Amino acid sequence: MSSYVPVLTFHKIDETPSVTSFPPALFESFMEKLIRNGYRTVGLTDAVENLYRGAPLPEKTFVLTFDDGYRSVFSDAFPVMKRHGMSATVFLTVGDPAKPRPGGRMPPLNGSEMLSWAEVTEMREAGIRFGAHTLTHPDLTRLGTEKIEYEIVKSKEIIEGVLGEPVRSFAYPYGRYDERSMGIAERFFDCACSDELGLLTLESKRYALGRVDACYLKNERLTGLMLSGLFPYYVRLRNVPRKILRRLSRR
Ligand SMILES: [Zn+2]
């Protein structure tokens, strides 16, 4: 039994040099390597429920998440996940309902094409889950409380309206949260993800879950680390400079 579960975060699956991009060929070889070595995915909310119930998960379990809802999740990650029967949670930034868009595609983020509702529905039918990630991807710590609640709750309602089932997880845009947004997340979801770098353990904060951003695993050697007992140490090691940087930037 495992005392920790890595929750991996991807954004775009494409070749651009951006920190939020992960190369399609590396994504495919990474997933194949995990499956070949006996790893399997578990749903985010299932992993969280299990841990808090005190039921540890089997060894070699991991969670896949994708933030924002880029179209490349459908075109480049979904075929790989489908082939291996993997589960994942995609956090959708659904757009302002006051500005509906033709074609049912979510409004572009940083100039990238996003998922359409038809693609979301097709992925849901194949077992992929969807979480909320607000309407317009604001830094929630900079908004008034009423606006925070609208961004969070309305985005949840829109996804539920399309999929016809409860949306149980949330991810804070940029991973940024404060007591107000966390309080709202607690009222409306089973768990919420932050940008903290860390593994899912019993010590995790249920409404500010840590994850491992794939930008820390962007070559074959680094993806191979996940198969080794060194992985928790690598995650801890990568966390040190981040924490120091954040402390400095708060001054
Ligand atoms: Zn985001």
Side-chain angles (χ1 to χ4, degrees):
M1 292 290 155
S2 183
S3 55
Y4 72 85
V5 179
V7 180
L8 302 179
T9 312
F10 295 88
H11 293 80
K12 286 176 263 187
I13 305 297
D14 66 23
E15 295 288 356
T16 56
S18 152
V19 281
T20 56
S21 288
F22 197 85
L26 186 59
F27 179 79
E28 186 168 4
S29 67
F30 186 13
M31 294 303 118
E32 276 167 4
K33 185 153 51 183
L34 290 169
I35 295 293
R36 211 171 42 240
N37 283 280
Y39 282 73
R40 62 179 195 96
T41 51
V42 61
L44 175 66
T45 51
D46 294 338
V48 170
E49 294 292 333
N50 256 45
L51 266 181
Y52 284 91
R53 257 206 330 264
L57 288 154
E59 295 282 344
K60 300 187 174 186
T61 300
F62 68 104
V63 176
L64 283 177
T65 64
F66 295 86
D67 280 13
D68 305 337
Y70 293 100
R71 182 163 193 268
S72 57
V73 175
F74 180 76
S75 58
D76 290 83
F78 179 50
V80 177
M81 296 192 287
K82 200 162 49 170
R83 195 158 64 239
H84 295 298
M86 302 171 111
S87 67
T89 296
V90 184
F91 291 104
L92 297 173
T93 296
V94 295
D96 184 346
K99 298 176 191 158
R101 294 173 54 81
R105 203 166 280 290
M106 280 156 250
L109 266 188
N110 314 311
S112 293
E113 196 173 32
M114 310 305 282
L115 291 166
S116 72
W117 288 108
E119 289 159 352
V120 167
T121 307
E122 188 180 332
M123 285 196 280
R124 180 64 197 98
E125 281 162 6
I128 307 297
R129 300 265 171 183
F130 292 87
H133 196 43
T134 72
L135 300 170
T136 63
H137 209 276
D139 177 347
L140 293 173
T141 64
R142 293 170 174 269
L143 298 185
T145 309
E146 225 168 85
K147 191 86 206 277
I148 300 173
E149 182 152 342
Y150 181 69
E151 280 277 350
I152 296 176
V153 177
K154 191 74 191 166
S155 68
K156 172 181 159 85
E157 285 173 4
I158 289 174
I159 304 167
E160 289 177 341
V162 174
L163 297 182
E165 63 180 9
V167 165
R168 297 171 58 202
S169 55
F170 178 71
Y172 304 98
Y174 313 104
R176 294 182 59 93
Y177 63 94
D178 56 17
E179 273 177 24
R180 299 169 306 156
S181 47
M182 198 191 250
I184 295 164
E186 280 172 7
R187 274 165 47 214
F188 290 94
F189 299 94
D190 291 352
C191 62
C193 295
S194 72
D195 71 336
E196 309 270 333
L197 175 60
L199 301 165
L200 180 59
T201 69
L202 262 182
E203 283 84 57
S204 296
K205 287 179 274 177
R206 189 164 180 153
Y207 289 92
L209 295 174
R211 295 184 286 174
V212 180
D213 197 297
C215 71
Y216 295 113
L217 303 171
K218 230 164 152 177
N219 64 46
E220 290 286 352
R221 192 176 54 83
L222 291 174
T223 60
L225 266 182
M226 205 173 128
L227 308 177
S228 81
L230 290 175
F231 192 61
Y233 300 98
Y234 174 65
V235 171
R236 223 172 293 160
L237 192 70
R238 291 308 301 243
N239 220 346
V240 171
R242 259 169 80 94
K243 276 193 177 151
I244 291 170
L245 280 176
R246 200 177 299 168
R247 215 161 284 165
L248 287 173
S249 72
R250 281 213 191 106
R251 279 162 195 269

